[in-house]
Amino acid sequence: MTFLKVLLAILLVLWLISLIRVGGRVRYGKAGLFITALAGPVKIQLFPFKPKKEEKPKKKSKKKQKKKLKRKSKNVPKKEKTPKKKKPAPEGQSGTLPRLMKLLPVAAQFCGSLKRKIRIDDLELELIWGGSDPAAIALGYGQANAVLGMLWPIFDHNFKVKRHSFQIGMDYGAAQPTVELQAAVTLTVGQGVALTVRYGVKALVTWIKSGRPAVKRQEALSHE
């Protein structure tokens, strides 16, 4: 009974971990570009990097300084390293590029499955069109609405969008257009692990199979 209780407790913990959503948040605006990694309630800023505290240079001891002076005074020439001869590649060996090309279908399948699992938790856009020419402001405002009308159906049909907000306006007093953009994308740990294992195994099998013709050619040449 104790073993079953421990096993159930471990499975429960793993199940709860698999429900944690991980991803990232991108924010761009007047303040600049900010990229944050998300793992449940934990947020880690990736960009811009936080400046590290400057470490004070350590004072070198007198003994080490004396040793360095002695080495310099000897002026012993260093032995030149003889360049190693490169071994010629065996004949009939398949290149890496053709094998990588065979992995492209697996990568495309992975991206397609990942697209269906990703959720856009937050998508915000605030665009205020400004400038010195009122006609150019009106034209830019119309173009921005047209572009948004083409892009939104792509997001809506291919991703799960939890919350979105789009605001496009005009400001004849502004010197130039301003934009504020924020997007948060996440998926669960369980979904990420399942996709990685599934397509990782596929990629490994494809990689091994793509190398077999070269091995067979080498064996045939060795028997001749």
Side-chain angles (χ1 to χ4, degrees):
M1 290 296 293
T2 307
F3 174 75
L4 288 175
K5 287 180 181 178
V6 172
L7 181 61
L8 288 173
I10 293 171
L11 292 174
L12 179 62
V13 171
L14 292 175
W15 178 70
L16 292 173
I17 291 173
S18 70
L19 297 179
I20 296 173
R21 301 198 72 86
V22 294
R25 182 186 297 274
V26 178
R27 183 161 54 90
Y28 175 78
K30 293 179 182 178
L33 177 65
F34 295 88
I35 301 174
T36 307
L38 306 174
V42 181
K43 299 177 182 178
I44 303 171
Q45 184 174 309
L46 302 178
F47 184 85
F49 303 104
K50 292 182 180 179
K52 294 181 180 180
K53 293 181 180 179
E54 294 182 358
E55 296 181 358
K56 294 181 179 179
K58 295 179 181 180
K59 293 182 179 179
K60 294 180 180 179
S61 61
K62 291 182 179 179
K63 289 182 180 180
K64 288 182 179 179
Q65 288 178 354
K66 286 180 180 178
K67 285 181 180 179
K68 283 185 177 181
L69 289 171
K70 285 180 180 179
R71 287 174 187 172
K72 287 180 180 179
S73 62
K74 288 180 181 179
N75 291 327
V76 180
K78 293 181 179 180
K79 293 181 179 179
E80 294 182 358
K81 294 181 179 179
T82 54
K84 294 181 179 179
K85 293 181 179 179
K86 292 182 180 180
K87 294 181 179 180
E91 293 181 2
Q93 185 179 8
S94 63
T96 306
L97 184 59
R99 297 181 71 184
L100 289 174
M101 292 295 288
K102 291 182 180 180
L103 293 178
L104 289 179
V106 180
Q109 291 174 11
F110 174 76
C111 291
S113 299
L114 185 65
K115 181 182 68 175
R116 290 188 289 271
K117 301 296 183 185
I118 283 177
R119 188 181 77 186
I120 300 176
D121 294 333
D122 191 13
L123 183 60
E124 295 181 14
L125 173 66
E126 183 181 352
L127 176 62
I128 306 299
W129 209 275
S132 57
D133 187 2
I137 293 174
L139 181 62
Y141 173 78
Q143 290 175 344
N145 276 289
V147 171
L148 182 60
M150 290 187 294
L151 290 178
W152 169 242
I154 296 173
F155 283 96
D156 192 27
H157 294 154
N158 293 283
F159 299 97
K160 296 177 183 177
V161 183
K162 188 178 179 181
R163 192 180 75 85
H164 69 277
S165 173
F166 302 128
Q167 295 179 10
I168 300 177
M170 295 183 290
D171 186 359
Y172 293 101
Q176 58 184 5
T178 58
V179 62
E180 295 283 339
L181 176 65
Q182 181 172 269
V185 179
T186 61
L187 77 162
T188 63
V189 172
Q191 290 171 336
V193 171
L195 288 173
T196 303
V197 171
R198 179 182 174 185
Y199 290 100
V201 171
K202 276 189 176 182
L204 182 61
V205 171
T206 305
W207 180 264
I208 293 170
K209 285 183 178 179
S210 64
R212 284 178 182 174
V215 175
K216 289 180 180 179
R217 284 197 300 269
Q218 287 180 7
E219 289 177 354
L221 289 170
S222 61
H223 288 304
E224 288 180 1

